[in-house]
Amino acid sequence: MELTVPRSTSQSSLLSQRAAVILLLGVLTAIAAVVLTVLAGGALASGFLAGGAAFVGAVLFFNSIIA
């Protein structure tokens, strides 16, 4: 007796392509902010705070301009 897993005929994705692009751009912006902050002489904790703020700002910005 073979057990089979029922498969859904329609594949639903976890994130839409638009949401994935917006989040990816936000992450890339955050990484750039962390690196630039640390290279400018800031502490790593300051870099993470700047990166978090940059992520939020970038997601809001890219969400408004990507249709």
Side-chain angles (χ1 to χ4, degrees):
M1 183 169 143
E2 184 178 334
L3 296 175
T4 59
V5 177
R7 295 185 182 185
S8 174
T9 56
S10 65
Q11 286 189 341
S12 61
S13 60
L14 184 62
L15 286 175
S16 67
Q17 187 176 10
R18 178 180 177 270
V21 168
I22 290 170
L23 290 175
L24 176 65
L25 290 171
V27 168
L28 292 175
T29 304
I31 291 171
V34 171
V35 169
L36 290 173
T37 302
V38 172
L39 287 177
L44 188 58
S46 297
F48 285 136
L49 286 173
F55 175 78
V56 171
V59 167
L60 291 173
F61 173 72
F62 290 121
N63 187 37
S64 68
I65 66 168
I66 296 177

